[in-house]
Amino acid sequence: MLYLYLQFPALQLESLTSETTVKLPIAVVDEKHQIVQCNKQATELGIKLGMQLGTAAALCPNLQLIPYQIDAQQQALQSVAQQLYQVSSDIALDPPSGLYLRLCNMLALYQGINGYWQAVTAELALLPYQYFYATGGTPFIAKCLARLQLNSVSDNVSSSFEIVKRSPLNATELDTDIQQQLTRLGIHNLGQLLNLATAELARRFDSRLLNYLGQLRGDFYHALNYIQPQQGFSRYLELLYDITDTKGLTAPLSSLLTQLEQQLTRANARCHQLQISLFFRAKPALLLEVGSAQAESSAKRWLTLCQHHLERLMLPEPVTGLKLKVHSFTRPQQLNDDLFQPQQGNVSALQLVATLQAKLGNAAVTGLNLENQHWPELASSQHSPLMSANQQIAALTLRPAFLLAKPLPLNETIEINSGPERLCQDGWQLHAQRDYFVGRSKTGQWLWLYRTPEQRWFVQGLFS
């Protein structure tokens, strides 16, 4: 057996600051007022992990503080696991900041551990997270060496076991009270502990110590819950500072869309619709749905559509968080173009419809379909854009290019050119009939007119 452990020391912090240009010292503080994560700027000013908040504030008065959020940490860890699932099958979460990867069934696929590690590092390079790593014959050996920042991969199990013997007790999974008891007995590293007789340890300590040593050696089975591939896509990004203008959402939204594009590319898939949730401090979250008639995978293309939607949006208050969600993916359509087909533009008809809908709204972009009706108001209907029209109904000849939204009374002298053409809505009812004519005004405009049984004249449309 061979395992790889990945430790991410600053998941929450780096997920917040990956796309910002702010160069201030930033730290994450837990409920005990201790520093649990800090960026490079804070470290250069003397801020260390485990430091009390008062000491950190004295060293760096302009230190920016972020409360530790276990949900944000867990979600970031889950997203890393889903990213690595494309190259490694057996991945188990070790909250709040670690991943176990079982390698024994992957080495044949990548022709050895070097090829496997190259594939893993290529995926990790797409993420903004710092990480430490190590391999071992058991999960606990790999984790202990990663905590020591060994940063080495090897399939030599015996060598890693010899290295772990020199590990201090604070790099293990042992509880603090057990570590203190061992220290009082003069035991300071794992090698000293492993040399003690099991019967002696069982007499002095409870089962927690024996279970850990058994799993460390590989004598006891270490059960890991391996993740399953996630359906769709879901990422949440808490903003480092409030955003009051929709233009300021471009950078964080671009980061999430890039992650979506990476997952779609690996899955050879596309998506038709995005759900963007904007979170505020006092107001309920605002849900924004962005769709594309032609399934897209490009982050640049999706960002353009999202920007069109955001331009028409008024924020009720500053945005504090952003979430991007896609429920399902779809396979890309195979486009079989004719070799002698004339060259088309760079934007397809479906992409053009999606852009217009993003700018004007879905209700403003429709198609037209012929109906089996004689009256102009009922002769056509609106439907979804680019939907195939009803081919069984033949269009009537000699119809104007522009119909008025509402017929207007005729208030000028017209020269009749052709007609009449009698049309009726429901059967040939005399009170509903209309006699249509084509006439020309004094200014030369050709009009489509009709006369009612009461001898009233109206303008229905204009010829181009």
Side-chain angles (χ1 to χ4, degrees):
M1 302 296 292
L2 186 63
Y3 294 87
L4 168 68
Y5 189 85
L6 296 172
Q7 183 182 16
F8 302 90
L11 270 178
Q12 179 184 345
L13 178 60
E14 290 170 342
S15 66
L16 294 177
T17 59
S18 59
E19 292 297 328
T20 181
T21 57
V22 176
K23 298 300 182 182
L24 296 174
I26 307 172
V28 178
V29 185
D30 64 4
E31 65 277 0
K32 297 180 180 179
H33 305 291
Q34 291 182 342
I35 305 297
V36 294
Q37 299 176 20
C38 59
N39 64 353
K40 180 180 178 182
Q41 289 77 10
T43 303
E44 292 175 349
L45 295 175
I47 307 300
K48 297 181 180 179
L49 298 181
M51 181 179 290
Q52 290 295 325
L53 180 57
T55 305
L59 288 174
C60 181
N62 64 335
L63 181 64
Q64 307 297 308
L65 300 177
I66 299 174
Y68 177 71
Q69 296 180 352
I70 186 62
D71 293 339
Q73 181 86 3
Q74 181 80 7
Q75 189 171 22
L77 185 64
Q78 178 72 31
S79 67
V80 176
Q82 292 295 331
Q83 180 95 2
L84 295 178
Y85 192 83
Q86 308 300 321
V87 297
S88 188
S89 60
D90 296 334
I91 303 176
L93 301 180
D94 185 33
S97 60
L99 294 176
Y100 292 109
L101 287 79
R102 187 169 63 177
L103 313 187
C104 49
N105 56 348
M106 301 297 300
L107 299 184
L109 177 63
Y110 292 97
Q111 289 80 44
I113 193 169
N114 292 330
Y116 172 80
W117 180 238
Q118 289 178 2
V120 171
T121 53
E123 293 297 323
L124 292 173
L126 301 174
L127 302 174
Y129 305 126
Q130 176 191 8
Y131 59 92
F132 306 118
Y133 59 93
T135 54
T138 65
F140 278 156
I141 289 179
K143 181 175 182 178
C144 184
L145 296 179
R147 282 183 169 182
L148 296 175
Q149 302 180 17
L150 183 63
N151 294 342
S152 174
V153 293
S154 172
D155 54 1
N156 191 337
V157 176
S158 59
S159 175
S160 61
F161 186 71
E162 293 299 323
I163 297 176
V164 83
K165 288 181 179 180
R166 301 192 293 269
S167 302
L169 297 180
N170 57 10
T172 67
E173 293 293 291
L174 296 176
D175 295 338
T176 304
D177 58 336
I178 297 180
Q179 293 184 32
Q180 293 176 350
Q181 295 180 48
L182 293 172
T183 302
R184 287 195 293 266
L185 295 175
I187 301 174
H188 302 283
N189 57 52
L190 276 175
Q192 295 174 317
L193 182 59
L194 292 171
N195 289 332
L196 297 178
T198 303
E200 183 67 18
L201 293 176
R203 187 174 64 86
R204 290 177 174 267
F205 299 92
D206 57 26
S207 59
R208 292 178 296 169
L209 177 59
L210 296 180
N211 288 336
Y212 173 75
L213 294 179
Q215 291 180 335
L216 181 72
R217 295 191 187 99
D219 299 334
F220 297 166
Y221 176 69
H222 191 156
L224 297 175
N225 295 322
Y226 297 109
I227 66 171
Q228 297 297 323
Q230 189 180 57
Q231 298 296 326
F233 178 88
S234 179
R235 295 289 188 277
Y236 172 77
L237 180 62
E238 183 179 355
L239 302 178
L240 188 59
Y241 50 88
D242 294 355
I243 294 179
T244 58
D245 189 1
T246 55
K247 294 182 179 179
L249 297 173
T250 299
L253 183 58
S254 177
S255 174
L256 295 178
L257 290 173
T258 300
Q259 297 180 39
L260 173 62
E261 180 183 14
Q262 293 168 359
Q263 184 166 333
L264 290 172
T265 301
R266 291 191 303 268
N268 188 27
R270 297 182 180 182
C271 59
H272 283 280
Q273 192 171 42
L274 310 179
Q275 281 190 352
I276 301 174
S277 299
L278 304 179
F279 295 89
F280 312 98
R281 296 191 183 278
K283 301 288 185 178
L286 181 62
L287 181 62
L288 184 66
E289 293 189 353
V290 182
S292 175
Q294 176 174 304
E296 300 284 354
S297 62
S298 169
K300 182 179 179 180
R301 178 64 186 165
W302 275 119
L303 181 61
T304 301
L305 296 177
C306 293
Q307 288 174 330
H308 292 323
H309 280 269
L310 292 173
E311 288 173 356
R312 301 185 289 111
L313 185 65
M314 295 295 295
L315 296 177
E317 64 177 54
V319 180
T320 60
L322 187 67
K323 184 176 182 180
L324 177 64
K325 187 172 185 179
V326 178
H327 290 286
S328 61
F329 297 160
T330 184
R331 293 297 177 186
Q333 298 180 354
Q334 299 295 331
L335 300 179
N336 299 321
D337 294 336
D338 190 348
L339 178 62
F340 301 100
Q341 182 179 1
Q343 185 175 1
Q344 302 295 325
N346 294 328
V347 179
S348 67
L350 291 175
Q351 289 176 329
L352 178 60
V353 168
T355 302
L356 293 175
Q357 288 177 334
K359 286 186 175 182
L360 307 175
N362 293 342
V365 184
T366 60
L368 291 176
N369 188 32
L370 294 177
E371 299 293 340
N372 192 17
Q373 295 288 341
H374 294 291
W375 271 22
E377 295 89 340
L378 305 177
S380 63
S381 62
Q382 296 181 348
H383 59 76
S384 299
L386 303 181
M387 188 178 74
S388 58
N390 191 349
Q391 302 295 335
Q392 296 180 352
I393 300 176
L396 299 177
T397 59
L398 200 57
R399 290 294 182 262
F402 304 99
L403 289 178
L404 300 180
K406 183 179 181 181
L408 299 178
L410 180 64
N411 297 321
E412 59 180 315
T413 304
I414 297 298
E415 178 185 351
I416 301 298
N417 182 268
S418 64
E421 177 186 5
R422 179 161 292 181
L423 300 179
C424 192
Q425 180 179 359
D426 295 319
W428 293 102
Q429 303 176 17
L430 295 179
H431 68 278
Q433 70 183 17
R434 293 178 181 177
D435 293 333
Y436 278 86
F437 301 85
V438 176
R440 186 176 184 181
S441 67
K442 294 180 179 180
T443 60
Q445 175 67 58
W446 291 94
L447 306 176
W448 198 37
L449 317 167
Y450 71 83
R451 182 184 60 195
T452 66
E454 295 80 16
Q455 301 300 312
R456 299 176 60 190
W457 289 78
F458 293 87
V459 180
Q460 182 79 64
L462 309 173
F463 289 91
S464 60

